[in-house]
Amino acid sequence: MCGIVGYVGGKQARDVVIDGLRRLEYRGYDSAGVALVSDGEIAFDKRAGKLANLEKAMEGSPLPASTTGIGHTRWATHGAPNDLNAHPHLGAKGRVALVHNGIIENFATLRDELERAGHDLVSETDTEVAAHLVEAELDRGADLTAAMQAVCRRLEGAFTLVAVDGEDPARVVAARRNSPLVVGIGEGENFLGSDVAAFIEHTREALELGQDQVVTITRSDVSVTDFDGNPAEGRRYHVDWDLSAAEKDGFDWFMRKEIFEQPRAVADALLGRHDETGALQLDEVRISDEELRDIDKIVIVGCGTAHYAGLVAKYAVEHWTRIPCEVELAHEFRYRDPILTRNTLVVAISQSGETADTLMAIRHARAQRSKVLAICNTNGSTIPRESDAVIYTHAGPEIGVASTKGFLTQLVACYLLGLYLAQVRGTKFGDEIAAVVEELQRMPGHVQQMLDEAEKVYELARGYADTRSVLFLGRHAGYPVALEGALKLKELAYIHAEGFAAGELKHGPIALIEEGLPVFCVVPPRGRDQLHDKMASAIQEIRARGARTIVLAEEGDQEVAPYADDTIPLPVVPTLLQPLVAVVPLQLFACELATVLGHDVDQPRNLAKSVTVE
Ligand code: F6R
């Protein structure tokens, strides 16, 4: 989820682009770069780290005057966050400069093809491939617009691309598929941005591009086509947000924005991870198949929400691979002398990649010669750097302190890992794995369905402003969902909340039930191992004792409906994947209740985004 800016007009492009990047830095801050068209060629600079590093470098060695330019602030996906992998990327002769947000799924095939044709690619990114391809089209006589169209027809995945041609200072060309791009329409100048924050200091007239469209901006004109060059239209609108709302895409909190980004985040986490037959391909798992076949135990470590992702993973991984799987809080694991061998796979889950407790746990595991695999959202952070292998979650930066899209994408990465192990070890047939992959591909749509009903959840939340305590019940993969729902409510609304395994109720917690106590109940899908019916009985038991039940159950589930004071319908999905949808209303509930109570949702009291001390 990088930030992209493009400009052509009468002002100094360097200043407009840097200002735009500053506004977009919340989208990624691994590196930043600018390219300008000046005197028939490309001038550029790019640096690892925050935008300030680039600005400092440019103070010492300024880029030339120019009125046409592009810029990028990166959230790394392919390749480490260093100077070389920073955008822009140039074509073979340096005539084209190009920036990119997204993931080009077929980049490995295209890279092979370019290398066979004698191209020398210098970075580890998928982006550089697009820069070389665009320039190759220019060499064949196309103009920049036609070159972009031709290249986009060959790309698979999700991408926003913005390019300039050193020999054509009059235009900037961009394209989008499954990744955002907005045009800012000015007078005698036009802009491009990942979102309107990139240009609202200059213009509030915007044009949103549709799927698979290419746009060419000049000083005086904006023209849109599809990838085949046929004329197309974007959606024009006036932006009435202030700058802070613009950064949050019109949402009041980054957290709420991040909740609504989840369909995209889940789709990105799945991108490029399987071939057309549904067979998994996890290039980043650099542990040999032989070593993976020798694994006799998996230990998953993490803290807070990441630990709950691990609890969900246990159900899936054991079911698919038949490898015993333990899940442990990283801080408890580290200091209890755990039994680890060369054949233990330790999986460390961390959004930030910097959590000290998790880092200490993996250092200990590696010292015992166990293999460590990180599931992480932050490319180049310490935990993946110190691990043998990594699966990046590709959620983009998570700014709200409470993890939301981080959690959903951790779940996806865990499912992918489980399926991959099953594939390597032969514990599932190819068609069984492909069937789960197909179900996973449907999940972004299901998550969207949950978000479409957000208003009903908000209304429910507003009714609980005076509540002092809330319980959450779940079974099987719904149990970690209950724990996560309770954590969200504690940390955002500062309300006492507990999650329980529903089967545990009668062993103690049922004593807490009293008249009017709200209890969220996550009901497993119907028809699996009596889980559903047992949960239905638990709901009846607590309701008989006065609880106010808020029941999350499959749409059309008539068996639990009579015992629900409120119902939140869930789409029909497999039991193991249900956490991906069931947690969404719980996130929305906590976010809304905290808002109603007047709390700072993005920065709850006493908490930090990245806990770098033990
Ligand atoms: C809760 C939350 C925390 C983190 C935990 C681990 O909303 O965000 O519980 O999940 O501190 O952080 P990472 O995943 O960065 O290791």
Side-chain angles (χ1 to χ4, degrees):
M1 186 177 133
C2 310
I4 282 184
V5 184
Y7 176 73
V8 52
K11 300 187 180 118
Q12 278 303 328
R14 179 185 53 213
D15 301 339
V16 177
V17 169
I18 290 282
D19 281 349
L21 291 182
R22 200 169 296 120
R23 309 282 178 222
L24 293 184
E25 209 174 4
Y26 75 89
R27 299 180 65 92
Y29 33 77
D30 289 335
S31 62
V34 174
L36 306 173
V37 181
S38 173
D39 281 341
E41 48 185 48
I42 299 287
F44 74 100
D45 201 345
K46 54 183 192 170
R47 304 282 160 160
K50 295 202 166 195
L51 181 65
N53 287 359
L54 175 69
E55 288 183 278
K56 200 158 162 233
M58 282 168 53
E59 267 168 32
S61 153
L63 290 177
S66 164
T67 54
T68 305
I70 59 175
H72 189 265
T73 174
R74 178 169 187 239
W75 182 257
T77 54
H78 288 84
N82 55 28
D83 284 356
L84 202 60
N85 290 331
H87 300 210
H89 289 277
L90 302 194
K93 299 175 188 153
R95 176 176 165 187
V96 162
L98 179 141
V99 295
H100 165 219
N101 172 26
I103 297 165
I104 298 172
E105 277 192 276
N106 57 336
F107 95 97
T109 320
L110 296 168
R111 189 180 172 114
D112 279 355
E113 177 190 310
L114 284 165
E115 282 174 345
R116 276 200 305 275
H119 288 247
D120 189 15
L121 290 119
V122 293
S123 77
E124 302 162 274
T125 66
D126 48 348
T127 309
E128 195 182 3
V129 165
H132 278 243
L133 289 172
V134 169
E135 196 175 273
E137 291 295 329
L138 295 183
D139 286 347
R140 284 184 206 112
D143 64 17
L144 189 59
T145 307
M148 184 66 93
Q149 290 159 350
V151 171
C152 288
R153 291 196 292 270
R154 302 200 57 202
L155 301 183
E156 289 164 19
F159 49 86
T160 301
L161 301 171
V162 181
V164 282
D165 171 3
E167 296 179 17
D168 184 356
R171 68 172 117 188
V172 180
V173 177
R176 77 163 285 247
R177 167 181 287 166
N178 289 324
S179 200
L181 178 63
V182 196
V183 184
I185 300 170
E187 286 186 12
E189 57 183 359
N190 286 305
F191 306 80
L192 294 163
S194 309
D195 59 54
V196 296
F199 52 72
I200 59 167
E201 328 178 53
H202 303 283
T203 177
R204 288 178 170 269
E205 293 310 306
L207 181 84
E208 186 183 67
L209 286 195
Q211 184 70 322
D212 285 9
Q213 292 187 341
V214 170
V215 62
T216 304
I217 60 166
T218 65
R219 272 181 179 217
S220 54
D221 191 45
V222 173
S223 62
V224 184
T225 69
D226 62 18
F227 286 176
D228 291 320
N230 303 309
E233 275 181 29
R235 182 183 70 87
R236 189 147 177 179
Y237 63 105
H238 179 79
V239 184
D240 42 23
W241 300 329
D242 62 18
L243 189 58
S244 133
E247 282 175 357
K248 298 184 196 110
D249 217 6
F251 289 98
D252 51 351
W253 303 111
F254 276 110
M255 180 190 165
R256 207 188 300 267
K257 170 174 177 278
E258 287 157 7
I259 293 173
F260 277 82
E261 280 169 1
Q262 291 181 123
R264 178 74 267 136
V266 168
D268 284 351
L270 288 166
L271 262 184
R273 259 76 193 258
H274 58 86
D275 65 18
E276 58 289 347
T277 70
L280 274 297
Q281 41 192 29
L282 296 184
D283 303 340
E284 317 119 289
V285 178
R286 296 198 181 91
I287 302 177
S288 71
D289 286 3
E290 203 182 344
E291 285 168 316
L292 290 178
R293 277 192 280 270
D294 286 343
I295 286 165
D296 57 16
K297 182 169 83 165
I298 297 176
V299 182
I300 305 180
V301 292
C303 301
T305 292
H307 172 242
Y308 297 150
L311 290 178
V312 174
K314 176 181 165 73
Y315 293 93
V317 171
E318 286 192 339
H319 181 66
W320 292 331
T321 68
R322 312 311 296 155
I323 310 172
C325 179
E326 297 169 7
V327 187
E328 195 153 351
L329 290 162
H331 34 91
E332 288 296 318
F333 167 85
R334 167 63 188 92
Y335 295 103
R336 74 162 173 84
D337 193 15
I339 300 165
L340 298 169
T341 70
R342 283 170 189 277
N343 294 337
T344 309
L345 176 68
V346 174
V347 178
I349 306 181
S350 174
Q351 187 285 131
S352 62
E354 300 295 349
T355 299
D357 292 315
T358 312
L359 181 59
M360 292 309 151
I362 67 163
R363 284 187 178 155
H364 181 69
R366 292 200 77 196
Q368 316 302 307
R369 303 272 182 273
S370 295
K371 289 272 178 238
V372 174
L373 182 145
I375 289 180
C376 185
N377 192 35
T378 313
N379 201 321
S381 56
T382 313
I383 290 172
R385 264 204 330 266
E386 295 200 13
S387 299
D388 299 289
V390 57
I391 301 177
Y392 284 113
T393 52
H394 297 327
E398 195 175 57
I399 293 176
V401 162
S403 190
T404 52
K405 62 177 181 171
F407 178 65
L408 255 67
T409 54
Q410 284 164 356
L411 292 179
V412 172
C414 289
Y415 294 135
L416 292 171
L417 175 63
L419 293 172
Y420 186 66
L421 288 170
Q423 177 176 293
V424 170
R425 297 163 65 100
T427 50
K428 284 271 159 207
F429 291 115
D431 57 342
E432 292 173 310
I433 293 172
V436 184
V437 168
E438 219 178 299
E439 292 284 358
L440 279 169
Q441 291 295 353
R442 283 197 270 272
M443 294 315 289
H446 292 316
V447 174
Q448 185 59 51
Q449 197 181 327
M450 299 310 299
L451 294 171
D452 292 344
E453 299 300 316
E455 198 43 56
K456 289 188 191 140
V457 179
Y458 294 158
E459 216 179 293
L460 187 70
R462 287 177 210 128
Y464 284 99
D466 295 330
T467 301
R468 297 309 316 141
S469 183
V470 182
L471 300 188
F472 293 76
L473 298 181
R475 279 196 89 112
H476 193 266
Y479 167 44
V481 173
L483 295 172
E484 173 62 2
L487 177 61
K488 287 282 132 349
L489 205 56
K490 284 183 237 197
E491 63 182 338
L492 297 170
Y494 316 149
I495 290 177
H496 169 256
E498 293 295 334
F500 294 109
E504 191 64 8
L505 262 187
K506 51 189 167 303
H507 301 287
I510 199 163
L512 289 170
I513 306 292
E514 56 188 20
E515 197 60 37
L517 180 80
V519 184
F520 281 85
C521 307
V522 183
V523 182
R526 285 164 289 185
R528 199 198 134 111
D529 306 336
Q530 304 168 341
L531 277 180
H532 172 273
D533 298 354
K534 288 188 190 302
M535 187 70 197
S537 309
I539 299 173
Q540 290 176 50
E541 281 161 25
I542 56 166
R543 192 138 184 283
R545 289 165 176 79
R548 191 176 164 81
T549 54
I550 305 154
V551 174
L552 288 76
E554 264 182 6
E555 49 211 5
D557 184 342
Q558 291 310 325
E559 286 160 66
V560 290
Y563 313 107
D565 289 296
D566 291 291
T567 310
I568 299 178
L570 302 176
V572 178
V573 298
T575 307
L576 288 170
L577 306 190
Q578 197 196 45
L580 283 170
V581 286
V583 79
V584 176
L586 306 185
Q587 299 168 337
L588 291 167
F589 183 87
C591 180
E592 184 62 11
L593 189 47
T595 306
V596 170
L597 294 173
H599 301 324
D600 184 335
V601 169
D602 283 338
Q603 294 181 344
R605 69 183 181 202
N606 308 335
L607 292 176
K609 184 68 186 159
S610 185
V611 186
T612 52
V613 286
E614 276 189 273

